[in-house]
Amino acid sequence: MLPDLPFDPSCMLIDGSWVPAGGTLPISNPSTGEEIGQIARGSAADIDAAVRAAQSAMDGTWGHSTAAERGRILMRLGQLVLQNVDLLTRLESLDVGKPTSQARADALALARYCEFYGGAADKVHGQTIPYLDGYTVYTLREPHGVTGHIVPWNYPMQIIGRSVGAALAMGNACVLKPAEGACLTALVFAHLAAQAGLPPGALNVVPGLGAEAGAALAAHPGIQHLSFTGSVTTGAAVQIAAGANVVPVTLELGGKSPQIVFEDADLQAALPFLVNAGLQNAGQTCSASSRILVHHSRLDEVSQAMATAYRSKRIGAAIDDPDIGPLINARQKDRVQQFLAQATDLPLIAQAMPPDLPGHFVPASLFGPVPPDHPLAQQEIFGPVQVIIPFADEAEAVQIANGTDYGLVASIWTQNGARQMRMAKKLRAGQVFINNYGAGGGVELPFGGTGKSGHGREKGFEALYGFSTLKTVAALHG
Ligand code: NAD
């Protein structure tokens, strides 16, 4: 069951008040399938009320806040998140099925986002531009106004931290629509934000279904910027809806990210990254490394080492902090099982078997060698499934690595410095890692994709530009 919370988790936060929606939705524990509570089923009318509340905040004290004041609120919020790490961890494990140490890492990352954007809030400066005689020209960075945030279920805390944190730092007022089935930590975050001094309306949270609350937020004419993370299909629909109001959209849509192991790679260093970057969060990670490209001279060695690592992985209930937890829901389990059913023609290198529990568990599966055009090597599975693809030389490695619709992240394992530089330039990805993968997920590092992985950048200082707009002021004074 849910722990006691200082607010009713079946309510929405609109204009500083916890209010019920017209209906509720059940939520369940992915590790057991048991119902654990109800969340609000926000409607289009609730989204409208939230957007109006956000606009009022922009017209009121929040809209007149100084960057230093906003920074202080975010820093206090970071402290409150740290004080509530245990609660956030427990809720995320119950609600999303995330192993406790991974849920804890997300909570700590949320605190880091608050600290980072709190510290950065008053360090975003405009420019003065040398121009014609008699003019003084300068630029101002201003908030968009009301920003919409549609968040998925796989990393709720991290994605809220990186988008809402940056938006608040720049002085926007936010309407947040968390994913159905992953709302609880969003609600706690909003509660803590109010405690940190965020005024009513500056952050509103409306849980609900994507087709109802989500679609209403994407299409609302009162928002001035939209941040979406999730599937390609939904992202495209959201962009069309926002486009009707000429609202700019940041899309983060996932990937099919490769790690490329060259003949001179340090396999001992690479091995934990090769495996864990594919299995973390049961593979439900937009930047999961689902393709392992291996020079043919190392194919057997890499396959055997990864197989041994797979066999040591423990799958279990999130609360027991296994290596791999359950998938989020029955739909996602069904999706992964459909991919596994398409793999009967592929050599199975190793599997870690799930426990005999009623939750949404699937085996962690490693296939190889897999042809680069196979559906398992092309489509985002969003489960604990990796494929090994052999290559002959650098040119073929680039061709295979860039040969999907996606382009989110990529990594190169080689000791050859010139090759590192060449590959980093040639790979189609928003982030490239050399002899590592993910770089610890640093909040400081700009993140986003190309192709069907989306567009726009979040995280790091770069996000502050995305969540603001530039005004040029030209004064003719003679
Ligand atoms: P989704 O894209 O449908 O949902 C993401 C968010 O969008 C949720 O908050 C949802 O409520 C909202 N949403 C859904 N329909 C909407 C609409 N019409 N208008 C506005 N908002 C809407 O993702 P899903 O159905 O939960 O998962 C399906 C697949 O998406 C997964 O299998 C995976 O491949 C992918 N996915 C990717 C990421 C990522 O980080 N890139 C995250 C989650 C899911």
Side-chain angles (χ1 to χ4, degrees):
M1 290 309 291
L2 290 184
D4 284 341
L5 295 171
F7 54 84
D8 180 349
S10 68
C11 283
M12 312 169 288
L13 182 67
I14 299 178
D15 208 8
S17 298
W18 293 96
V19 291
T24 58
L25 297 165
I27 53 170
S28 62
N29 178 349
S31 297
T32 62
E34 285 166 5
E35 189 176 317
I36 52 171
Q38 301 277 323
I39 55 155
R41 180 174 178 169
S43 65
D46 297 321
I47 288 289
D48 187 54
V51 172
R52 286 171 194 277
Q55 188 57 57
S56 296
M58 288 306 299
D59 297 339
T61 51
W62 182 245
H64 292 93
S65 61
T66 66
E69 286 164 349
R70 295 194 296 273
R72 268 191 215 117
I73 290 172
L74 281 165
M75 297 295 259
R76 276 199 295 271
L77 179 51
Q79 285 299 312
L80 289 170
V81 168
L82 284 177
Q83 287 164 20
N84 286 275
V85 160
D86 289 344
L87 173 67
L88 290 162
T89 300
R90 187 159 165 221
L91 286 177
E92 203 76 314
S93 284
L94 270 174
D95 200 16
V96 182
K98 203 168 273 231
T100 46
S101 55
Q102 294 176 36
R104 191 176 174 80
D106 284 6
L108 293 172
L110 175 60
R112 270 295 292 140
Y113 278 113
C114 296
E115 291 166 357
F116 180 84
Y117 287 120
D122 60 355
K123 294 166 189 72
V124 182
H125 302 153
Q127 297 174 315
T128 54
I129 301 175
Y131 193 53
L132 302 176
D133 185 34
Y135 278 86
T136 295
V137 181
Y138 59 95
T139 60
L140 297 171
R141 278 265 157 210
E142 297 181 336
H144 291 291
V146 178
T147 53
H149 304 257
I150 301 178
V151 169
W153 40 261
N154 56 341
Y155 286 84
M157 286 191 273
Q158 295 218 31
I159 295 169
I160 289 167
R162 80 187 188 202
S163 72
V164 171
L168 291 175
M170 293 311 293
N172 300 282
C174 305
V175 178
L176 167 61
K177 209 301 278 176
E180 49 274 40
C183 290
L184 298 177
T185 50
L187 297 172
V188 172
F189 177 73
H191 165 74
L192 296 177
Q195 283 192 337
L198 198 67
L203 172 59
N204 307 275
V205 185
V206 182
L209 295 172
E212 296 176 359
L217 181 56
H220 201 291
I223 57 166
Q224 280 98 36
H225 181 279
L226 190 69
S227 162
F228 173 86
T229 303
S231 65
V232 175
T233 311
T234 308
V238 158
Q239 179 162 319
I240 289 169
N245 298 315
V246 200
V247 167
V249 180
T250 300
L251 293 181
E252 203 275 87
L253 307 179
K256 195 72 190 169
S257 299
Q259 296 194 66
I260 307 171
V261 183
F262 282 97
E263 56 269 39
D264 62 342
D266 177 349
L267 183 54
Q268 211 185 345
L271 187 62
F273 293 91
L274 297 180
V275 175
N276 296 339
L279 300 184
Q280 180 179 316
N281 201 29
Q284 303 169 115
T285 304
C286 52
S287 56
S289 178
S290 47
R291 294 186 298 153
I292 308 297
L293 278 52
V294 183
H295 188 263
H296 62 78
S297 65
R298 309 287 300 271
L299 187 60
D300 289 347
E301 191 189 351
V302 171
S303 301
Q304 281 167 25
M306 287 185 71
T308 305
Y310 260 67
R311 290 190 196 105
S312 74
K313 293 294 175 194
R314 204 166 43 91
I315 306 180
I319 203 77
D320 296 329
D321 200 23
D323 301 308
I324 303 169
L327 300 181
I328 180 83
N329 54 32
R331 202 181 99 195
Q332 199 62 23
K333 179 177 176 179
D334 187 50
R335 176 187 162 91
V336 173
Q337 283 175 332
Q338 283 180 29
F339 274 102
L340 294 177
Q342 290 180 59
T344 46
D345 56 332
L346 296 177
L348 178 65
I349 299 174
Q351 262 185 338
M353 296 312 287
D356 190 16
L357 289 174
H360 309 302
F361 297 98
V362 292
S365 307
L366 176 67
F367 296 95
V370 173
D373 58 351
H374 192 282
L376 264 74
Q378 286 288 321
Q379 294 173 29
E380 186 179 48
I381 299 171
F382 236 60
V385 182
Q386 288 179 291
V387 296
I388 294 183
I389 307 172
F391 65 86
D393 56 26
E394 194 176 304
E396 193 186 18
V398 171
Q399 189 190 12
I400 296 171
N402 291 347
T404 73
D405 290 341
Y406 296 101
L408 191 55
V409 315
S411 109
I412 314 154
W413 292 92
T414 177
Q415 305 301 315
N416 180 327
R419 173 175 278 160
Q420 293 169 357
M421 298 301 111
R422 272 195 307 276
M423 290 295 294
K425 283 194 172 173
K426 286 182 183 166
L427 288 171
R428 184 168 172 260
Q431 287 188 329
V432 174
F433 304 106
I434 298 171
N435 291 331
N436 77 98
Y437 192 92
V443 306
E444 303 87 346
L445 311 180
F447 181 75
T450 59
K452 288 200 174 152
S453 291
H455 51 72
R457 295 291 177 265
E458 290 188 348
K459 300 181 62 174
F461 217 81
E462 196 66 29
L464 298 167
Y465 301 129
F467 282 106
S468 60
T469 183
L470 194 74
K471 181 183 282 174
T472 305
V473 181
L476 174 58
H477 42 69

